[in-house]
Amino acid sequence: MSDTILKLEDITKIYPNGTVANRNINIELRKGEIHSIVGENGAGKSTLMKIIFAIEKQTSGKIYYKGQEINYQGSMEAIENGIGMVHQHFMLIPSFTVAQNIVLGAEPSKSAFIDMKEAVRRTQELAHKYNFDIDVTQKVGSLTVSEKQKVEILKTLYRNAEVIILDEPTAVLTPQETEALFEQLEKFKETGHTIVFISHKLNEVMQISDRITVIRNGETKGTYAAADITMDKLTELIIGAKLEDSYDEFKHPVKDAKMLLDVQHLKYSEHGVGKVNDVSFSIRGGEILGIAGVQGNGQEQLIKAITGLLPFQDGVVKVDGTEIQGMNIAQKRDAGMSYIPEDRMVDGTAPGASIRDNLISTYYQKPKYAGKIFTKDGVIREESKMLIDRFSVKTQSEKEKVSALSGGNIQKVVVAREWNTQPKLMIAEQPTRGIDIGSAAYIHHQLIDMRNNGAAVLLVSADLNEVLKLSDRLIVMYEGEIVAHFASLKGVTESQLGLYMLGVEHQSEKEIREASYDD
Amino acid sequence: MSDMISSFFTPSFVALVIRVGTPLLFASMSAYVASLAGIPNIAVEGIMLFGALFGVYFSAISGSAWIGLLGVLAVGVVLALVLAFFTMKMKADPIMIGIALNLFATDFSVWLLLVWTGSKGTTANLPSKVLPTVNIPFIENIPIIGTIISGHYFLTYVCIVMAILLAILVYKTPFGLHMQACGLDEHAADSVGIKVNRVRLIAVIMSGIFAALGGAYLSMGYLSIFSNNMTASRGWIGIAAQAVGGGNFLIVTLTTGVFAIAQGIVSKLALTSLPSDLINTIPYVCVLIGLIGLSVKEYRKRRAR
Amino acid sequence: MTTEKAKKRFRITDEGPFEVLRILVSILIALAVTFVVLCFVIEGDSIPARLGNAGATFIKLLTYPCKNMFYFGYVLVKMVPLTFAGLATLLYFRTGLFNLSTEGVFYIAGVACTYFAVSEARLTGNPFIDSAICIVAAGLCGGIIALLPGYLKAKFQANEMVISLMMNSILFGIGFWMIKTFLAISGVTGTSSAPFVASARLTTIIPKTQVHSGIIIVLVMVVLVYILLFKTKLGYAIRITGLNQNFARYSGMGAFGLFMSVHFLAGFIGGMGSAVELLGVYQSFTWSQLPGLGFTGALMAMLGKNHPIGVTVAAFGISYLRASAQLLANSSPVIDIKLVSVVEVILTLLISSQYFLRSWREKQLLKEEQCNE
């Protein structure tokens, strides 16, 4: 049982832009085990998997497969040699049938033609063999997410994979589906397959794994047998024991603060699956409310339903007493909302436009910046220069394209624009993701300034440190619901939060209801 | 008038529809196969025009219609390679390349006409050859059926055979599955080891050949000369048929059939006193209505979700 | 700050200069290919004689319009409709729309113009007002016609490119029928309209040339489109939407109104262009085919990088060659305006290629970095 099938030795990956994704990673996979790799978002798990699967090339270090050093030139070679991967974003073609998807690229054929009957027979047989209850003649587009995942797994099995890498497989599954998947994985163990399970849901990892490797900041923090380690210890390893200093000293109390955001009974579902289930909370001026949670637990839908990027479905949202749920985006902004979106390159900027143009997009219609027809270029230029200066965006001129800036500076452009409308409510979604520490700290101070000046700030971040440092109050989301509310962060520890985030614990109804103010 | 209507239900009308429908089906297949593999080819019209011109030219200088046909194939392949090279290797927008090739074909064909014949109108003074008409033994003597399926131009039969072969290629062979995969999701295709660029190159070359043959049909059968702008937007109809049918070859073919019938009606009505310019728009109006209907349907589907 | 600026030297690999270099190289290649094409068809007994003849003809082609004012004026006349069509199309492209209906709009708006221009009863007799009536009528016609694909796009996200192509053929059929049926000289069957009333026609503004007042109108339009794009709220929304539609939505810009406005404006400009061309150059409406100006407009927009000034320059360059070729058509059996299509297609192919000269630039950048180290 304990013979090594795949071994990573001192794997280091440095991207051309200098980002170190992996540093001296050492992992040994044994044949027939379920080996979990856990770590926060951005810890370097995905990069590592891409290296094993030969999508990316390591900067240094060696990979041994079945005792021999390997140096695959592409994922095709990895597939041919028995390494399979189930990507987080499915590589499936919806209008093809299950059988077609499975055999694509390696079709059984009779002379020049595809032997579709044989393909159906073989795939159906494969599905039976591994107890997948699936009709292979169905179109993939009509399948549920968990069924699609089964198809992805079958694709690897069809190609005789011995090592199967599953990248966040449970992120898209319901608890019942997750259970079924786990039973499946157990069976693979019996058939001698090696499973690499990537996740940040700790209770699942504890349940399924034989061994667990923790990665933090691109480095391995040890491999443990699942039986030998406690949940608390694991949480600590993942998140890191040391909390950075809080920003408390910069925060000033705000007097007579009104309630500026009130969300009541917000619901949102996609294709009939509830993503946000009856969420209620409120924020006063001079307050930063943080939302903690593992990604994919409804935070994104919650924010987008409030800001209007997703159509509103059910519930009430008030900004400073005005109901905004029926409004379009422009009206919501007029009502006092500002929004730093999750993806600065998709929603947050037009990278091909100048910094100047990117700094005014959300308020260029206001009388200060434009008349009935014309824009007031002088005012806009001065304003852009002021914003570039105030937010220390590193650039030669306001006419430079945003795409020429670094990530941190692009994010400063977004924050500067959203700050400039003096919002009553600032919604900040992953405000510092993927940017340098200096810019991140700068943006944090801007958010605190807004808070000190009486704005309500709603902060969502996958970075737990960020949430803990900035927030005055905190809610934790798990599977579309609020599972915990902390009116003060004094004495709250990260491992305590971790238990809520990972769905291990749940506060009482009464405690959670306190996330909303009564007035 | 009732004579006119009853003439739509005669074997000779069906034969007429097949005659006017052949270049349309070539155009549709050209648009279809390229877009199926993920490289939209809107240069169909231009490639057809060049096919028509070079068929005449090569047959005139060689004295053989068959050598002319080989020249047509070569022209189709060369233009397809231009499209493939610039879109795949040089990352140019296929739409821009298509527009450029179309304009080039419209103008440059006239210039070549001038250089070769001294006139900008037609190649009437070139001794070009036409491809034969095929009378199928036995069948030609059967009433009705004989009128419908026998006695067409050679390329009509080529077109029908190619349509059948294309359907088999797309739906029955591994390569067909790969083409579909490349058009639907190139990353998914790539992830299972399909060589996306190679598949697309082959598809675009097929597209060029279909379009060039469609052109040759016009100048080496349907008519025996090349005349200025003789494709008369037939290529665009093919693109529209592709837009209606998408990846479904049966629907693309049926749509083409509807346009061919419209075109057949136009040919008949042209003999009446009705204004021919208005009559000529009937196929395009059909296409337009089809496209609008399609987008409204999809819009409703999106809303329903 | 100043030290940093001082460090910034002119480098050919910088974005601006590199773009200019790309265009220049493209022009050189396009002209070289034209020369080769000429070599193939030109008369001559031996290869050197052919080369000599081709060279002489080629140089003529490049210099002929500079010979006298009349010839140069002809360049300006040719440039007017191309610039109009380019301006109309660039508005679509800037918004991220692939609409090619300018071709059909040119035709149908020309018919609308003709409706007024052939009848004294519909005009006042004042040259200024009469031209204006015809041009505005054509513009309105173009704008309203363009609203149809605009609505289908804005409301149903219909495929605006194929729809606009079908519309071109339909508009041509309807337009040609109207010309023959209602606007021809009564009693005469032909393919042209009755002659335009003199007061509707645009006046020649440079003596001894054909340059008409349309050149002033088009230059005014270039300035107006520039102002629209870069100085107005609508233009700002157009640019942002074209660059990133998600960002425009996030910023609260409504797509429906924007798409409708852009279609109307582009249709209006296309329609104006048609009227200006007809009233400036033609005695009557004689287009018995689509004039091809709308598609050429798409090329102008592309070559001019969707910038009004760029479009003007591109239109001038192409018109220069077209005019030269047309003027030389009688002197040489192989020179014709259609030969310029070689230059046009090669320019378009190369300039729209993102990777053209890219690996050369990367090599240069790499070298520079090595030098710096």
Side-chain angles (χ1 to χ4, degrees):
Chain A
M1 270 301 282
S2 67
D3 43 336
T4 301
I5 184 159
L6 189 75
K7 189 173 152 197
L8 305 179
E9 203 177 88
D10 291 329
I11 298 287
T12 298
K13 172 73 187 178
I14 305 170
Y15 282 104
N17 64 9
T19 315
V20 181
N22 294 139
R23 188 180 289 127
N24 296 333
I25 298 260
N26 284 291
I27 301 176
E28 227 175 276
L29 299 177
R30 294 174 190 160
K31 189 167 167 55
E33 74 170 344
I34 297 180
H35 192 127
S36 290
I37 296 182
V38 295
E40 280 190 296
N41 275 308
K45 296 167 296 184
S46 292
T47 308
L48 189 62
M49 291 310 117
K50 284 181 186 161
I51 290 171
I52 298 177
F53 200 54
I55 297 172
E56 302 256 11
K57 199 113 195 74
Q58 69 268 29
T59 313
S60 66
K62 288 173 179 167
I63 306 173
Y64 296 93
Y65 181 55
K66 296 181 181 169
Q68 291 196 322
E69 191 183 338
I70 55 167
N71 192 9
Y72 295 148
Q73 292 310 310
S75 51
M76 209 44 229
E77 245 181 290
I79 294 170
E80 278 163 15
N81 285 287
I83 300 175
M85 178 151 173
V86 175
H87 298 268
Q88 198 175 354
H89 302 284
F90 298 144
M91 295 284 188
L92 294 172
I93 295 172
S95 59
F96 280 13
T97 65
V98 172
Q100 281 174 324
N101 266 292
I102 292 174
V103 301
L104 184 65
E107 302 85 355
S109 57
K110 238 193 305 195
S111 61
F113 303 105
I114 290 192
D115 190 346
M116 218 47 228
K117 268 193 196 137
E118 176 68 10
V120 168
R121 194 188 62 76
R122 273 199 225 169
T123 48
Q124 193 72 67
E125 199 178 275
L126 198 67
H128 279 312
K129 183 175 161 195
Y130 291 101
N131 282 323
F132 283 119
D133 177 26
I134 200 163
D135 174 9
V136 298
T137 56
Q138 263 180 305
K139 290 247 157 72
V140 163
S142 63
L143 301 181
T144 65
V145 177
S146 77
E147 285 171 322
K148 284 182 188 160
Q149 190 173 60
K150 288 176 187 169
V151 177
E152 281 283 18
I153 296 173
L154 283 171
K155 257 168 86 176
T156 67
L157 293 171
Y158 179 80
R159 289 165 174 76
N160 298 315
E162 293 171 60
V163 177
I164 302 175
I165 304 166
L166 298 152
D167 190 2
E168 306 273 358
T170 60
V172 291
L173 301 182
T174 66
Q176 293 77 13
E177 288 166 339
T178 304
E179 271 312 308
L181 174 72
F182 285 176
E183 277 172 36
Q184 206 52 249
L185 296 184
E186 291 290 345
K187 289 213 181 71
F188 290 147
K189 234 165 81 172
E190 289 161 23
T191 48
H193 292 90
T194 307
I195 305 293
V196 182
F197 184 81
I198 301 169
S199 178
H200 43 213
K201 297 193 182 172
L202 284 199
N203 45 0
E204 293 178 356
V205 167
M206 290 297 271
Q207 180 191 346
I208 188 75
S209 315
D210 296 310
R211 295 194 306 153
I212 302 167
T213 298
V214 179
I215 296 186
R216 193 171 80 226
N217 292 332
E219 295 175 47
T220 30
K221 295 286 163 195
T223 299
Y224 305 87
D228 298 346
I229 191 164
T230 62
M231 190 86 91
D232 284 349
K233 172 75 178 153
L234 206 53
T235 311
E236 196 185 305
L237 281 169
I238 293 169
I239 293 169
K242 191 181 131 281
L243 253 189
E244 285 172 45
D245 303 332
S246 89
Y247 286 108
D248 282 352
E249 52 184 306
F250 301 103
K251 291 181 178 173
H252 312 300
V254 174
K255 278 186 194 147
D256 307 326
K258 279 199 296 178
M259 186 161 77
L260 291 182
L261 174 69
D262 189 27
V263 176
Q264 291 301 320
H265 308 297
L266 193 140
K267 298 186 191 87
Y268 188 86
S269 60
E270 278 167 10
H271 306 293
V273 181
K275 294 289 180 185
V276 180
N277 306 317
D278 201 0
V279 164
S280 304
F281 62 90
S282 38
I283 316 177
R284 280 190 218 280
E287 226 175 39
I288 299 179
L289 175 73
I291 300 184
V294 172
Q295 264 198 306
N297 277 291
Q299 305 95 314
E300 192 190 331
Q301 286 84 356
L302 171 69
I303 296 300
K304 297 209 160 119
I306 295 174
T307 58
L309 281 191
L310 286 174
F312 197 85
Q313 292 179 348
D314 199 8
V316 179
V317 179
K318 286 184 195 162
V319 171
D320 197 11
T322 317
E323 286 194 21
I324 65 158
Q325 69 270 15
M327 295 180 173
N328 65 30
I329 295 178
Q331 291 164 331
K332 285 181 179 181
R333 288 183 171 280
D334 284 342
M337 180 193 84
S338 251
Y339 174 32
I340 299 168
E342 177 178 31
D343 194 327
R344 57 182 164 269
M345 303 309 271
V346 172
D347 292 317
T349 60
S354 66
I355 298 172
R356 187 200 89 118
D357 283 352
N358 272 287
L359 280 171
I360 57 166
S361 72
T362 53
Y363 52 83
Y364 71 101
Q365 306 231 8
K366 293 205 172 146
K368 184 180 169 194
Y369 306 99
K372 268 203 155 65
I373 294 173
F374 295 103
T375 47
K376 294 176 183 166
D377 279 10
V379 180
I380 293 171
R381 191 182 323 117
E382 288 315 308
E383 192 95 347
S384 309
K385 285 188 170 154
M386 180 276 285
L387 288 171
I388 287 172
D389 208 40
R390 189 182 179 287
F391 282 79
S392 31
V393 179
K394 282 204 191 71
T395 176
Q396 300 270 342
S397 131
E398 78 279 2
K399 290 180 197 145
E400 205 170 323
K401 279 186 185 168
V402 159
S403 56
L405 300 179
S406 72
N409 281 305
I410 295 176
Q411 193 68 359
K412 283 184 190 168
V413 169
V414 176
V415 175
R417 178 186 66 227
E418 297 307 303
W419 170 87
N420 202 24
T421 52
Q422 277 124 37
K424 291 174 190 163
L425 165 69
M426 167 60 95
I427 298 178
E429 195 180 15
Q430 320 288 359
T432 62
R433 177 194 275 174
I435 66 176
D436 60 292
I437 297 167
S439 303
Y442 190 84
I443 288 170
H444 288 162
H445 280 287
Q446 297 308 319
L447 291 175
I448 289 170
D449 276 357
M450 279 185 246
R451 167 208 177 271
N452 289 345
N453 290 325
V457 178
L458 176 60
L459 170 73
V460 183
S461 176
D463 179 353
L464 197 54
N465 265 332
E466 180 171 56
V467 179
L468 285 170
K469 272 159 72 180
L470 283 173
S471 307
D472 297 293
R473 290 159 60 225
L474 181 76
I475 55 181
V476 181
M477 278 186 79
Y478 180 73
E479 303 209 318
E481 286 172 30
I482 298 178
V483 291
H485 167 246
F486 298 93
S488 155
L489 291 183
K490 292 235 161 58
V492 177
T493 65
E494 61 282 2
S495 56
Q496 193 184 348
L497 277 180
L499 294 176
Y500 288 107
M501 286 165 60
L502 300 167
V504 182
E505 286 186 28
H506 197 296
Q507 283 183 349
S508 70
E509 289 275 315
K510 188 172 162 287
E511 283 172 294
I512 291 167
R513 212 172 299 134
E514 279 165 13
S516 304
Y517 294 121
D518 286 332
D519 52 39
Chain B
M1 197 63 207
S2 64
D3 284 356
M4 178 56 68
I5 289 168
S6 63
S7 77
F8 291 147
F9 297 97
T10 58
S12 66
F13 181 72
V14 179
L16 172 69
V17 168
I18 293 175
R19 259 200 311 285
V20 297
T22 302
L24 299 184
L25 186 55
F26 269 128
S28 299
M29 290 198 293
S30 174
Y32 170 77
V33 72
S35 131
L36 187 71
I39 304 274
N41 174 9
I42 67 157
V44 178
E45 175 85 5
I47 302 177
M48 281 177 87
L49 203 56
F50 269 140
L53 176 64
F54 279 91
V56 166
Y57 178 69
F58 285 126
S59 75
I61 58 170
S62 68
S64 155
W66 301 107
I67 293 178
L69 192 60
L70 277 182
V72 168
L73 295 179
V75 166
V77 172
V78 167
L79 289 171
L81 288 178
V82 170
L83 176 68
F85 175 77
F86 281 98
T87 50
M88 276 147 56
K89 286 283 170 201
M90 300 293 268
K91 282 275 176 284
D93 185 339
I95 306 293
M96 250 7 265
I97 300 294
I99 294 173
L101 287 179
N102 283 328
L103 267 177
F104 176 62
T106 319
D107 283 3
F108 198 66
S109 61
V110 174
W111 183 75
L112 287 175
L113 203 56
L114 179 74
V115 170
W116 288 336
T117 70
S119 109
K120 284 188 183 182
T122 68
T123 56
N125 59 0
L126 283 184
S128 67
K129 300 284 180 275
V130 295
L131 294 162
T133 303
V134 179
N135 290 312
I136 307 169
F138 306 116
I139 291 179
E140 63 177 314
N141 299 324
I142 306 172
I144 301 182
I145 294 177
T147 319
I148 293 176
I149 60 176
S150 177
H152 290 289
Y153 304 109
F154 170 72
L155 283 178
T156 297
Y157 298 105
V158 172
C159 181
I160 292 166
V161 171
M162 284 200 161
I164 295 167
L165 288 179
L166 181 61
I168 293 173
L169 180 73
V170 170
Y171 291 108
K172 296 288 172 197
T173 69
F175 185 77
L177 200 65
H178 296 178
M179 275 204 292
Q180 296 181 51
C182 290
L184 290 165
D185 186 344
E186 59 178 304
H187 299 295
D190 190 51
S191 77
V192 293
I194 294 172
K195 300 204 166 41
V196 176
N197 271 354
R198 210 190 61 179
V199 171
R200 287 182 167 171
L201 176 66
I202 295 172
V204 171
I205 288 176
M206 283 196 277
S207 170
I209 288 176
F210 290 143
L213 286 177
Y217 174 86
L218 293 173
S219 67
M220 301 177 76
Y222 193 69
L223 294 176
S224 58
I225 52 166
F226 173 83
S227 68
N228 180 357
N229 197 24
M230 86 181 303
T231 47
S233 295
R234 287 182 176 87
W236 295 121
I237 292 202
I239 286 164
Q242 191 282 322
V244 173
N248 188 325
F249 188 56
L250 183 66
I251 295 181
V252 171
T253 312
L254 290 179
T255 312
T256 312
V258 173
F259 299 157
I261 292 170
Q263 193 88 61
I265 293 173
V266 169
S267 304
K268 281 273 178 193
L269 292 180
L271 305 172
T272 66
S273 57
L274 294 168
S276 64
D277 301 302
L278 285 185
I279 300 295
N280 280 333
T281 63
I282 290 175
Y284 305 106
V285 173
C286 290
V287 178
L288 190 63
I289 291 170
L291 279 171
I292 294 173
L294 190 75
S295 19
V296 172
K297 199 180 111 197
E298 278 179 3
Y299 170 75
R300 294 236 172 91
K301 222 159 84 187
R302 274 198 302 275
R303 294 217 83 180
R305 256 193 301 164
Chain C
M1 202 57 188
T2 42
T3 49
E4 251 180 68
K5 262 190 184 161
K7 256 193 226 162
K8 210 169 143 65
R9 283 195 327 260
F10 172 84
R11 290 183 316 178
I12 194 75
T13 45
D14 284 344
E15 206 175 314
F18 177 68
E19 204 48 51
V20 173
L21 176 81
R22 256 168 54 98
I23 293 170
L24 288 177
V25 173
S26 304
I27 293 173
L28 280 181
I29 295 178
L31 290 176
V33 173
T34 313
F35 178 73
V36 172
V37 170
L38 268 179
C39 287
F40 272 102
V41 296
I42 206 113
E43 286 161 0
D45 305 329
S46 60
I47 289 175
R50 275 186 173 223
L51 280 177
N53 284 344
T57 311
F58 188 65
I59 287 169
K60 249 193 191 172
L61 188 66
L62 291 187
T63 54
Y64 206 65
C66 295
K67 269 186 110 169
N68 65 40
M69 203 50 209
F70 179 81
Y71 293 163
F72 194 77
Y74 196 52
V75 174
L76 299 182
V77 171
K78 290 241 145 211
M79 177 184 156
V80 172
L82 293 195
T83 311
F84 266 115
L87 290 177
T89 314
L90 85 81
L91 283 183
Y92 290 128
F93 286 2
R94 274 272 179 181
T95 323
L97 299 166
F98 261 115
N99 187 313
L100 301 173
S101 63
T102 308
E103 184 72 44
V105 160
F106 245 79
Y107 199 90
I108 199 76
V111 175
C113 163
T114 305
Y115 173 78
F116 287 96
V118 293
S119 154
E120 276 171 33
R122 297 177 196 123
L123 298 172
T124 62
N126 175 321
F128 184 79
I129 296 176
D130 287 358
S131 306
I133 289 176
C134 296
I135 294 172
V136 170
L140 285 175
C141 170
I144 291 165
I145 294 283
L147 282 179
L148 175 67
Y151 178 79
L152 293 172
K153 173 70 182 179
K155 176 91 182 165
F156 303 114
Q157 278 113 58
N159 181 339
E160 78 272 18
M161 192 186 77
V162 183
I163 284 183
S164 65
L165 290 169
M166 291 303 111
M167 273 185 52
N168 289 343
S169 298
I170 296 169
L171 293 175
F172 166 70
I174 295 173
F176 200 27
W177 171 71
M178 285 163 87
I179 288 289
K180 284 200 232 169
T181 321
F182 304 115
L183 300 170
I185 305 166
S186 54
V188 180
T189 51
T191 55
S192 78
S193 74
F196 298 144
V197 174
S199 63
R201 300 201 61 225
L202 296 173
T203 45
T204 306
I205 54 166
I206 303 179
K208 292 185 196 157
T209 69
Q210 293 175 303
V211 180
H212 54 81
S213 51
I215 188 83
I216 299 173
I217 303 177
V218 80
L219 291 178
V220 169
M221 288 311 292
V222 169
V223 174
L224 286 180
V225 170
Y226 179 87
I227 292 173
L228 168 74
L229 272 182
F230 299 106
K231 304 284 167 197
T232 68
K233 291 198 284 190
L234 179 63
Y236 177 75
I238 287 175
R239 288 185 290 124
I240 294 297
T241 305
L243 286 169
N244 184 351
Q245 210 171 326
N246 286 321
F247 176 57
R249 194 169 93 89
Y250 151 89
S251 299
M253 300 175 192
F256 187 86
L258 179 72
F259 282 179
M260 294 300 270
S261 320
V262 167
H263 275 84
F264 181 79
L265 286 173
F268 193 90
I269 293 172
M272 277 183 76
S274 173
V276 167
E277 172 72 357
L278 284 169
L279 301 176
V281 178
Y282 293 79
Q283 310 288 339
S284 63
F285 187 99
T286 56
W287 289 335
S288 57
Q289 267 187 17
L290 284 173
L293 293 168
F295 286 135
T296 315
L299 288 199
M300 295 306 114
M302 207 286 301
L303 294 177
K305 296 276 163 199
N306 294 330
H307 192 288
I309 311 288
V311 164
T312 315
V313 173
F316 177 80
I318 295 298
S319 304
Y320 183 90
L321 289 177
R322 284 189 170 192
S324 178
Q326 192 153 3
L327 292 166
L328 286 167
N330 291 329
S331 66
S332 162
V334 296
I335 297 284
D336 185 84
I337 185 167
K338 306 288 184 188
L339 176 63
V340 181
S341 62
V342 175
V343 177
E344 291 165 11
V345 72
I346 291 176
L347 277 183
T348 315
L349 292 180
L350 294 180
I351 291 180
S352 66
S353 293
Q354 293 176 34
Y355 285 5
F356 177 55
L357 293 186
R358 198 186 68 149
S359 56
W360 176 84
R361 182 191 189 187
E362 278 169 0
K363 255 185 232 158
Q364 297 301 312
L365 284 173
L366 207 70
K367 261 192 217 161
E368 263 168 47
E369 255 172 50
Q370 281 161 349
C371 288
N372 288 347
E373 282 165 15

